[in-house]
Amino acid sequence: MLKTNLSTYNNHPFHPGGSAFKRLAWFYINALFLKTSLIPASGFKVFLLRMFGARIGKNVTIKPCVNIKYPWFLQIGDETWIGENVWIDSLIMVNIGANVCVSQGAVLLTGSHNYKKSSFDLITQSVVLEDGVWIGAGAIVNLGVTAGSHSVLTSGSIATKNLLSYSVYQGNPAVKIREREIIT
């Protein structure tokens, strides 16, 4: 029986984008201004993200202690909220629509590993949260998942497959439990 051999690890064809200097500068900017609770102001964080290539809409709220891997692989629409302690693992593109709520402690993953290969190679796929999506507190959206318009992933749930529009998902793995009806 073969065993995992990390000495043969391969992350090809992944490339983090940007120069080594840009990645290093972002590492420190992220640590000093986004991953901290000392800077509560959202506008400054949005400014920094834009400076590093993120495409961010109007009136976006970014709470304290948010971790963003590479902002140049991030797009966020208007009126979106990113809660405390959210981790956006943007190894490749993460598209977050308008009027989306990513609640505290949620994780958006674009990378994993091929556990079937002894070399444990890197696998990447984008994440898409369409307009009006709500990702509950502590929920995880795995690589390759698209959350359809106005879908909900409840607190602590794990999305491993696409979420249908106007549907509520719960569990591990998340399954549809009902339709989402929005009232005025």
Side-chain angles (χ1 to χ4, degrees):
M1 178 175 286
L2 289 176
K3 297 181 180 183
T4 301
N5 181 359
L6 295 180
S7 71
T8 62
Y9 172 74
N10 182 6
N11 68 354
H12 179 76
F14 171 71
H15 188 277
S19 66
F21 176 77
K22 183 177 181 180
R23 292 191 305 271
L24 183 64
W26 175 250
F27 176 84
Y28 287 107
I29 295 292
N30 190 36
L32 291 171
F33 298 109
L34 271 82
K35 289 172 60 175
T36 181
S37 60
L38 298 175
I39 311 289
S42 186
F44 184 62
K45 295 172 197 173
V46 168
F47 168 77
L48 290 172
L49 287 164
R50 286 179 179 149
M51 291 294 295
F52 277 86
R55 293 178 305 228
I56 300 183
K58 299 175 191 166
N59 300 319
V60 170
T61 299
I62 299 177
K63 294 290 191 171
C65 302
V66 171
N67 185 13
I68 297 171
K69 180 71 98 180
Y70 298 126
W72 45 92
F73 292 136
L74 180 62
Q75 181 172 329
I76 301 175
D78 298 341
E79 305 291 343
T80 288
W81 304 343
I82 307 296
E84 293 90 347
N85 296 305
V86 166
W87 178 26
I88 301 176
D89 184 36
S90 51
L91 294 170
I92 62 172
M93 203 64 202
V94 172
N95 289 298
I96 300 173
N99 297 293
V100 170
C101 177
V102 181
S103 296
Q104 62 272 21
V107 178
L108 307 180
L109 295 173
T110 62
S112 188
H113 297 277
N114 187 346
Y115 65 87
K116 294 178 182 179
K117 295 191 79 175
S118 65
S119 55
F120 208 53
D121 296 349
L122 180 67
I123 301 168
T124 58
Q125 292 180 352
S126 63
V127 166
V128 177
L129 306 181
E130 294 180 355
D131 293 347
V133 166
W134 178 19
I135 304 300
I140 299 172
V141 178
N142 277 291
L143 61 156
V145 170
T146 295
S149 174
H150 296 83
S151 60
V152 174
L153 181 63
T154 64
S155 298
S157 295
I158 300 176
T160 59
K161 297 194 184 314
N162 292 344
L163 309 181
L164 297 174
S165 296
Y166 289 93
S167 299
V168 178
Y169 287 81
Q170 183 175 41
N172 178 12
V175 295
K176 182 178 175 181
I177 58 169
R178 68 176 142 301
E179 296 291 321
R180 180 183 185 186
E181 295 180 32
I182 300 174
I183 57 174
T184 58

